[in-house]
């Protein structure tokens, strides 16, 4: 069996597409500088955004017309919009899920467990069962205290479940109406 030879083709870019790519280049460069100024490492994603957009546009153009492909303005706009959206979403996902230390990582995991419970909240005893990977109760309590101080969660007695040892935990804004009112 003999392999066939391949030939390279040049896929031209229309003037409209070139204008779209140039505008996106300037936008991505601006985003990259803003991220650099904020000491945000996602700047490197913006540095590659134009290259990725051009690659996507090339794939689409080649799929639309195999015989005489050309990157049109609409294809370039779609590719740039796609890269803008995915880079923004990925940057947000990174910011929400990256921790600098083991302490921050474990604290984020606890917060996410509490947040998943929504309006019902979670008894502290159930949280302890779900976080047995934290071997030290003092560390677990420190994480909870830190989250309370940061204003991310509230910890208190549930007026409908006063029997819950250790109290109840909610991610804000939930739980405020279910807290046992101590002033009565």
């Amino acid at each position: 069996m003999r392999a066939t030879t391949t030939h390279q083709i040049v896929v031209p870019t229309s003037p409209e597409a070139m204008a779209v790519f140039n505008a996106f280049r300037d936008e991505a460069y601006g985003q990259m500088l803003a991220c650099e100024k904020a000491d945000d490492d996602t700047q490197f994603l913006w540095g590659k955004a134009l290259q990725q957009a051009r690659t996507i546009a090339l794939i689409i153009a080649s799929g639309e017309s195999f015989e005489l492909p050309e990157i049109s303005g609409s294809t370039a706009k779609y590719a740039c919009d796609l890269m803008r959206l995915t880079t923004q979403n990925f940057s947000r996902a990174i910011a929400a899920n990256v921790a600098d230390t083991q302490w921050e990582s474990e604290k984020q995991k606890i917060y996410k467990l509490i947040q998943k419970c929504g309006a019902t909240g979670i008894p502290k005893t159930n949280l302890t069962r779900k976080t047995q990977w934290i071997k030290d109760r003092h560390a677990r309590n420190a994480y909870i205290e830190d989250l309370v101080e940061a204003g991310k969660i509230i910890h208190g007695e549930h007026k409908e479940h006063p029997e819950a040892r250790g109290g109840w935990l909610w991610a804000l804004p939930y739980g405020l109406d279910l807290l046992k009112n101590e002033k009565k």
Side-chain angles (χ1 to χ4, degrees):
M1 181 191 265
R2 188 173 155 211
T4 60
T5 60
T6 59
H7 68 283
Q8 293 181 343
I9 60 170
V10 174
V11 178
T13 303
S14 72
E16 299 86 27
M18 193 58 83
V20 170
F21 285 138
N22 288 340
F24 186 63
R25 179 198 61 217
D26 296 342
E27 177 188 346
Y29 185 70
Q31 288 285 355
M32 189 175 77
L33 291 177
C35 290
E36 182 181 28
K37 190 178 266 185
D39 199 27
D40 182 356
D41 286 338
T42 60
Q43 64 179 312
F44 302 110
L45 296 174
W46 287 105
K48 296 282 280 177
L50 177 63
Q51 178 185 352
Q52 300 298 337
R54 291 181 68 84
T55 302
I56 290 168
L58 178 64
I59 292 168
I60 293 170
S62 298
E64 286 177 336
S65 172
F66 185 73
E67 296 299 319
L68 293 170
E70 179 183 44
I71 298 174
S72 66
S74 62
T75 302
K77 182 176 177 350
Y78 173 79
C80 291
D81 288 346
L82 179 64
M83 279 314 303
R84 180 181 303 106
L85 181 67
T86 55
T87 304
Q88 288 170 343
N89 288 346
F90 191 63
S91 296
R92 272 190 233 111
I94 289 171
N97 293 300
V98 172
D100 292 335
T101 63
Q102 183 71 25
W103 168 269
E104 289 296 323
S105 175
E106 289 179 352
K107 191 168 68 170
Q108 279 182 356
K109 288 176 187 174
I110 288 176
Y111 178 65
K112 286 179 184 174
L113 282 170
I114 296 168
Q115 202 175 29
K116 272 187 198 176
C117 296
T120 58
I122 185 171
K124 188 175 178 195
T125 53
N126 288 5
L127 181 70
T128 300
R129 286 186 201 108
K130 290 184 176 194
T131 58
Q132 289 184 2
W133 42 269
I134 301 173
K135 301 293 182 202
D136 182 7
R137 75 178 164 93
H138 298 293
R140 184 180 301 105
N141 289 339
Y143 293 139
I144 291 169
E145 287 174 24
D146 205 32
L147 288 167
V148 168
E149 271 187 45
K152 291 187 165 196
I153 66 168
I154 54 175
H155 180 210
E157 288 187 44
H158 195 303
K159 67 181 178 184
E160 296 172 10
H161 298 282
E163 75 284 356
R165 292 187 344 232
W168 214 272
L169 300 157
W170 296 270
L172 284 172
Y174 302 116
L176 293 172
D177 56 335
L178 296 172
L179 278 175
K180 190 173 180 181
N181 192 348
E182 298 295 328
K183 294 181 181 175
K184 286 185 179 178

